[in-house]
Amino acid sequence: MAGNFTLVGCPDCENEQVVFEKAATSVACAVCGHTLAHATGGKADLEGEVVETVEAR
């Protein structure tokens, strides 16, 4: 599996959530429901601030 897990901060509620950078579906914030990542067919388009890379492969 090629790709990294990143910690993304939600721009609305400041919740931090782990997101796979090549997400195949849209990822919503678990707290407020704001979309954090949009699937693009490759690397996801991340809307929130990338805080750190949690696990690099």
Side-chain angles (χ1 to χ4, degrees):
M1 175 171 72
N4 298 324
F5 290 93
T6 55
L7 188 63
V8 178
C10 179
D12 287 346
C13 69
E14 308 210 359
N15 176 48
E16 293 181 349
Q17 186 168 323
V18 177
V19 175
F20 187 58
E21 72 176 6
K22 293 186 177 181
T25 60
S26 293
V27 178
C29 176
V31 175
C32 70
H34 182 84
T35 303
L36 297 177
H38 296 280
T40 61
K43 281 193 174 184
D45 182 26
L46 301 175
E47 283 195 18
E49 176 187 351
V50 176
V51 177
E52 69 176 308
T53 300
V54 178
E55 183 177 337
R57 293 190 174 239

